[in-house]
Amino acid sequence: MTNLITRRTFVGGVAGAAGVATLGGKAFAQATLPTSPVTLNIIDVAGNLALTQKAIENYRKAKPNLVSRITFTKATAPELAGKIKAQQDAGRVDIDLVLTGTDALSAGIEQKLWVDLVPGQANSLPKLDDIYQPAAAKMQGLAKGQGVVVTYYPSGPLLEYMPDKVKNVPTTAEELLAYTKANPGRFLYARPANSGPGRTFIMGLPYILGDSNPQDPAKGWDKTWAYLKELGQNIEYYPSGTGAVMKELGEGSRDMTVSTTGWDINPRVLGVVPKEAKVAALKGFHWVADAHYMCVPKGLPNEKLAVLLDLMSFLLTKEQQAYTYDEGYFYPGPAVKGVTLDMAPAESQAAIKEFGRPEYEKWIAENPIELPLQPDQMVVAFRLWDEQVGGGKRK
């Protein structure tokens, strides 16, 4: 099995029909499939390939008349928008499909990088409101029609800790702050702009702390920003991604971090974090949901869009959604209704049976599930965190 850090964190053209403009306008309401197979270049900035790569490869095998080859690349979310913008400005877009969380989705919406998929190409997709789980349907609304949800989970924020090191587990935000003061350098989290647990933590704090408007980081997070600054006095540095955090937790150089259901289960499956690690939720905790999206950069030929829409529809079938249970990385994972664990591959079932936690079902049932920030507000939150909290401590 590949190492978590490799799978999650490390970075890693076909001409259009004559007379057809490149994507970005309404001229593509009826995208037509190619007459010969195309190559697809897919970039992942969310760790999503752990959930979807097998299904994507199933598509290539099932549709050799449409796809000859698929290349997969990994990158970090903060670098993606600039990369795509530069390609679009040069008129040479070589990224066909982006798999992203809400971070790069938001940056791309702000910079107008994405093709309008809903309603622009809705006729070529399933009826999303009919197939999605209710919370996944709400997450689809965040995409402003410029992405399609492919995986969903309630996320966090949770605390993850080593029970042999942390004897008095914090139960409130105040107790967490007191713990970090008494144990400087033993708690850390990653930069929110490139970390699911990091951004879930800062978006969850306004609910825990009782801030005035959890959906307005500029005007409604007074308690949150004050808390994060004070907490930061006891944090040595902020890693650039979650994989580095889990590696330090597993090696014993840190004792506690913020986590999500998936980032709790999967690193323990992979052996990066010891199986014995435990999780806790703070008083007043609300889930802040998360999802991964499929986005298409503007500037591609018409026929590639047609293939990508067909691929998206394929990935939203129940059979392919069952692969998204993976080894708990985005637990549960499926965005589509009616996809149960017994439909997943045997290795997924075994991993979740051994490393899953029964308390998750109870917590999901008993605590509210909130939407993350709207895309424009998420960009603001990342900027304010970088300016006011991360500062010179990013690494």
Side-chain angles (χ1 to χ4, degrees):
M1 177 148 328
T2 53
N3 180 277
L4 171 89
I5 311 305
T6 303
R7 292 178 71 192
R8 307 292 191 243
T9 313
F10 283 177
V11 173
V14 177
V20 178
T22 52
L23 296 177
K26 295 183 180 178
F28 288 88
Q30 299 296 324
T32 54
L33 291 168
T35 55
S36 59
V38 301
T39 296
L40 295 181
N41 300 312
I42 298 176
I43 190 165
D44 174 19
V45 296
N48 180 264
L49 285 173
L51 313 175
T52 60
Q53 186 165 347
K54 289 178 184 176
I56 293 170
E57 290 173 342
N58 287 343
Y59 179 80
R60 179 183 58 79
K61 293 172 187 173
K63 303 286 182 86
N65 58 313
L66 298 181
V67 178
S68 58
R69 189 167 70 97
I70 300 176
T71 66
F72 299 101
T73 306
K74 297 180 182 181
T76 63
E79 71 184 274
L80 180 71
K83 182 183 181 77
I84 292 175
K85 185 70 165 59
Q87 291 184 5
Q88 290 173 338
D89 289 347
R92 298 174 59 184
V93 178
D94 63 11
I95 295 170
D96 300 317
L97 183 68
V98 174
L99 302 172
T100 177
T102 51
D103 40 18
L105 168 74
S106 301
I109 291 173
E110 183 188 44
Q111 298 187 41
K112 298 179 171 55
L113 304 181
W114 310 128
V115 170
D116 175 43
L117 297 173
V118 184
Q121 305 296 334
N123 289 342
S124 300
L125 293 166
K127 291 188 176 180
L128 301 180
D129 286 343
D130 292 348
I131 66 169
Y132 280 149
Q133 298 185 50
K138 290 182 179 178
M139 292 298 294
Q140 178 60 35
L142 289 178
K144 310 296 184 187
Q146 296 177 52
V148 171
V149 168
V150 65
T151 48
Y152 155 80
Y153 79 137
S155 191
L158 305 169
L159 292 181
E160 185 166 356
Y161 64 95
M162 298 309 302
D164 58 331
K165 301 286 185 63
V166 183
K167 301 300 184 183
N168 296 310
V169 182
T171 62
T172 67
E174 292 74 19
E175 289 178 6
L176 174 60
L177 183 59
Y179 168 84
T180 65
K181 288 179 178 178
N183 301 273
R186 304 308 297 174
F187 170 87
L188 88 168
Y189 65 96
R191 182 191 179 201
N194 195 45
S195 168
R199 67 175 175 268
T200 303
F201 177 53
I202 69 168
M203 288 189 290
L205 275 175
Y207 297 100
I208 293 168
L209 297 173
D211 248 325
S212 61
N213 186 350
Q215 289 290 320
D216 188 346
K219 298 177 181 176
W221 285 21
D222 290 350
K223 294 177 182 178
T224 295
W225 293 123
Y227 182 88
L228 288 169
K229 289 174 192 175
E230 190 170 358
L231 192 72
Q233 295 175 17
N234 313 309
I235 293 175
E236 184 178 350
Y237 78 103
Y238 298 98
S240 60
T242 318
V245 173
M246 293 301 171
K247 189 167 183 286
E248 293 200 29
L249 184 68
E251 291 172 346
S253 55
R254 314 291 166 179
D255 301 331
M256 188 188 301
T257 186
V258 297
S259 194
T260 64
T261 59
W263 275 102
D264 159 42
I265 296 172
N266 186 254
R268 290 187 299 117
V269 173
L270 298 180
V272 175
V273 173
K275 185 178 180 179
E276 297 74 31
K278 300 290 185 184
V279 291
L282 297 176
K283 183 180 179 182
F285 147 77
H286 291 208
W287 294 101
V288 178
D290 200 1
H292 288 160
Y293 298 83
M294 302 176 283
C295 298
V296 180
K298 294 176 181 177
L300 299 180
N302 182 30
E303 57 189 5
K304 277 209 173 179
L305 174 63
V307 174
L308 291 168
L309 292 167
D310 194 55
L311 169 61
M312 290 179 191
S313 299
F314 181 85
L315 295 180
L316 292 175
T317 62
K318 291 182 179 181
E319 294 76 13
Q320 304 310 317
Q321 283 279 299
Y323 285 97
T324 67
Y325 277 100
D326 178 51
E327 292 173 323
Y329 169 55
F330 215 63
Y331 181 80
V336 169
K337 291 183 288 191
V339 183
T340 55
L341 182 59
D342 61 358
M343 298 168 64
E347 57 268 27
S348 294
Q349 297 185 44
I352 292 169
K353 181 179 179 180
E354 182 174 359
F355 294 92
R357 299 190 191 273
E359 59 261 45
Y360 281 154
E361 300 314 309
K362 183 173 185 289
W363 291 354
I364 291 169
E366 294 180 354
N367 294 277
I369 300 177
E370 308 289 352
L371 286 178
L373 295 174
Q374 291 291 322
D376 57 338
Q377 295 299 322
M378 188 169 291
V379 172
V380 170
F382 291 161
R383 176 177 56 78
L384 290 173
W385 186 93
D386 285 345
E387 291 173 358
Q388 297 184 24
V389 181
K393 285 190 175 184
R394 280 167 41 193
K395 183 175 178 180

